[in-house]
Amino acid sequence: MGYDLIYSQVTGHVPYLLGGALLTLQLATISFLVGWAIGLFNASILHFGPHPARLAVQGYVTFFINTPLLVQIFFIFFVLPDAGILLSPYTAVAIGMSLNAGAYLTEIQRAGFQSLRREEMDAATAMGFSVPQMVWYVVMPHIAKTLYPPLSNQFIIQVMTTSIAAIFAVEELTGRAYNVNSLTFRSMEVFSIVAVIYVVLTLACSLALAVLGRWLFRVKARIV
Amino acid sequence: MWEQLIEDVPRFFGFWNLMFLGQALLNTLLLSYLGAAFGFALGFCLAIGRHPRLYGIAPLRLLATAYVEVFRRIPFLVKLMCVFFAFQLSGAQASLFTVALVTVVLSAAAFAAEIARAGIESVPAPQWNAAEAMNFSRWQMLSRIIAPQSWRVVVPPLFGYAVGFIKSTSIASQIGVMELTYAAKILNTRGFSALLCFGTILVVYFLICWPTKRFGEHLETRLGQRPQA
């Protein structure tokens, strides 16, 4: 039983796949930005907030880090309709990924908050800064540079994680791969091409983020 | 919603359902721990094959580096599909469990190779020089000098990655491996409420992952406290 790899039947679909890559990037960016905001908010609570709020945030982080994203999205997608909230697959995946990323980004940014010097906080307090002002004007500029490499790393992880959206019939890169697969039945060819696209895509993102980091902070971000 | 839920609970946690979930749990555990163990072993070999002062001969080094860089940049789902179809093409009669296990091993190896490399590089250069001056062979250098000093750095993060693979195995439900997520989907299809099915396995996943992660953190503080040799 021989099987010949015939790529010519799939190459015509590559532009369609690359269109899916755009959606992948979109989903990754949305979930990263929302997750980053959640993370910043949570890290502020962990640093400045009262005890019960800190416990709640720690519970959120521990729970989301220790359960699979796929099941979290299943939960959002299948359980919320019972409560009368109907979500489109795209929204459900975006919410799930954002909440998941939020947990990881809380951990990352908490480490940044801990690296701050006490005197700076005291000075800000003496100047009458409120907590949000303190976070935005004092903490953020200080931790931006140190947190840039782990944050860009998290973005790359988000890009790869979006493939889970295919399971919910969102037509991003992997979702479109499923479509092309059912059109051509050239499974090995389709998925090997998609694998290469993912490698190139994440490398391009790493490179772009490294260049951006160089330009913003003069830091050497790791590409590989 | 709540009335139906309360009605469902005794039926859901009946004997056969629990047996069903227990078997699925066993599959998840086997898949992730076995996969992580084999993968980490393979990863160490890769790291050793990448290091110029150990077994890093040029072609081997290039291959190992390419493998590590490529496999860390492909999503688990895509890897799973590639392995799945590759098995199909080869004509080998492999079970779905084997396909998923191979995928976990392949990805675990790529990640472990990076950790092991960091561990190997954490051994200071004078140690290497001294070993070479004493005319140690590569194997002696690895087993007597490098491994005893680097395992403290290497072992704790592996548990964090193991948690990642426990979570990744949920994606194996996509090709129909009978693990927790797939079991929950089946129970959901049989008419139990989604809240009950997915809520239960979320708790079960948490109960597997959290202790694993805590154990890694515990090891990290314990091994970190000891004076470095």
Side-chain angles (χ1 to χ4, degrees):
Chain A
M1 180 194 106
Y3 181 94
D4 298 314
L5 292 172
I6 306 174
Y7 278 94
S8 58
Q9 291 184 12
V10 182
T11 41
H13 295 284
V14 167
Y16 174 70
L17 289 174
L18 289 177
L22 278 184
L23 196 61
T24 290
L25 283 181
Q26 189 194 18
L27 201 51
T29 312
I30 291 175
S31 62
F32 178 80
L33 288 179
V34 177
W36 173 78
I38 294 174
L40 185 64
F41 181 72
N42 281 347
S44 318
I45 287 181
L46 283 178
H47 207 256
F48 298 108
H51 187 65
R54 285 211 305 264
L55 271 185
V57 167
Q58 264 156 5
Y60 161 79
V61 171
T62 317
F63 181 77
F64 273 86
I65 283 185
N66 287 304
T67 49
L69 171 63
L70 179 63
V71 185
Q72 289 161 13
I73 304 177
F74 268 135
F75 197 85
I76 292 168
F77 192 57
F78 290 118
V79 176
L80 291 189
D82 285 349
I85 307 167
L86 273 173
L87 296 168
S88 73
Y90 184 87
T91 328
V93 171
I95 292 176
M97 282 187 64
S98 303
L99 289 175
N100 193 274
Y104 284 97
L105 289 166
T106 304
E107 284 280 280
I108 293 173
Q109 297 188 75
R110 187 180 62 115
F113 273 61
Q114 281 170 349
S115 72
L116 285 170
R117 260 178 281 143
R118 218 192 141 69
E119 294 80 33
E120 282 163 339
M121 292 306 193
D122 292 342
T125 318
M127 304 272 278
F129 276 38
S130 67
V131 169
Q133 279 176 329
M134 206 136 76
V135 171
W136 194 253
Y137 292 109
V138 182
V139 178
M140 283 281 292
H142 270 268
I143 63 175
K145 190 176 167 180
T146 35
L147 286 192
Y148 188 76
L151 286 181
S152 44
N153 204 16
Q154 181 66 32
F155 181 77
I156 305 297
I157 293 174
Q158 287 304 110
V159 171
M160 294 200 288
T161 316
T162 49
S163 66
I164 283 182
I167 295 169
F168 300 87
V170 176
E171 292 195 331
E172 44 70 73
L173 188 45
T174 314
R176 289 195 173 187
Y178 279 132
N179 291 352
V180 175
N181 183 27
S182 43
L183 266 175
T184 61
F185 286 113
R186 290 274 150 207
S187 324
M188 198 60 228
E189 290 89 333
V190 173
F191 283 101
S192 55
I193 286 180
V194 167
V196 171
I197 295 179
Y198 268 109
V199 173
V200 173
L201 189 67
T202 48
L203 272 175
C205 287
S206 304
L207 195 66
L209 286 169
V211 170
L212 184 71
R214 258 324 266 165
W215 178 67
L216 281 175
F217 309 113
R218 311 232 139 257
V219 290
K220 280 189 195 142
R222 254 167 54 93
I223 298 173
V224 280
Chain B
M1 181 186 175
W2 295 112
E3 298 83 50
Q4 198 217 339
L5 191 70
I6 291 162
E7 225 174 86
D8 266 358
V9 166
R11 220 156 47 86
F12 184 79
F13 291 106
F15 177 72
W16 293 110
N17 269 0
L18 285 185
M19 287 298 282
F20 182 64
L21 279 175
Q23 209 173 12
L25 171 65
L26 195 67
N27 272 340
T28 292
L29 286 176
L30 270 180
L31 195 57
S32 41
Y33 284 130
L34 214 59
F38 283 136
F40 291 160
L42 187 60
F44 296 149
C45 297
L46 278 173
I48 294 163
R50 265 179 96 180
H51 200 279
R53 285 177 107 164
L54 293 168
Y55 290 90
I57 319 142
L60 190 65
R61 211 159 101 200
L62 205 70
L63 270 179
T65 310
Y67 174 84
V68 171
E69 289 306 331
V70 166
F71 271 71
R72 281 167 58 224
R73 288 176 179 279
I74 304 174
F76 190 83
L77 181 59
V78 178
K79 260 183 286 200
L80 186 71
M81 287 300 162
C82 287
V83 173
F84 181 65
F85 290 119
F87 264 109
Q88 240 176 23
L89 295 193
S90 71
Q93 295 289 319
S95 66
L96 292 170
F97 183 83
T98 318
V99 172
L101 186 67
V102 168
T103 316
V104 175
V105 169
L106 288 179
S107 28
F111 285 101
E114 277 298 280
I115 306 172
R117 186 176 73 151
I120 291 174
E121 279 172 4
S122 75
V123 178
Q127 299 272 338
W128 295 85
N129 298 339
E132 271 174 5
M134 305 273 278
N135 205 14
F136 274 36
S137 71
R138 282 169 173 175
W139 174 249
Q140 282 173 327
M141 194 146 86
L142 178 67
S143 60
R144 303 268 171 89
I145 311 289
I146 308 305
Q149 292 186 72
S150 55
W151 72 275
R152 281 168 199 280
V153 185
V154 175
V155 172
L158 289 184
F159 284 89
Y161 280 99
V163 169
F165 292 116
I166 297 171
K167 293 190 290 177
S168 293
T169 54
S170 71
I171 295 175
S173 64
Q174 272 311 292
I175 57 168
V177 179
M178 200 49 202
E179 43 72 71
L180 275 174
T181 312
Y182 197 57
K185 271 165 83 178
I186 287 178
L187 289 177
N188 189 19
T189 322
R190 278 189 199 157
F192 292 105
S193 77
L195 176 63
L196 210 52
C197 301
F198 293 116
T200 309
I201 61 161
L202 271 180
V203 172
V204 174
Y205 271 117
F206 183 79
L207 290 180
I208 312 170
C209 292
W210 194 53
T212 311
K213 201 173 162 62
R214 285 306 295 263
F215 184 64
E217 285 164 1
H218 169 74
L219 272 185
E220 198 171 349
T221 44
R222 240 195 89 185
L223 296 179
Q225 277 167 359
R226 298 256 187 88
Q228 294 271 321

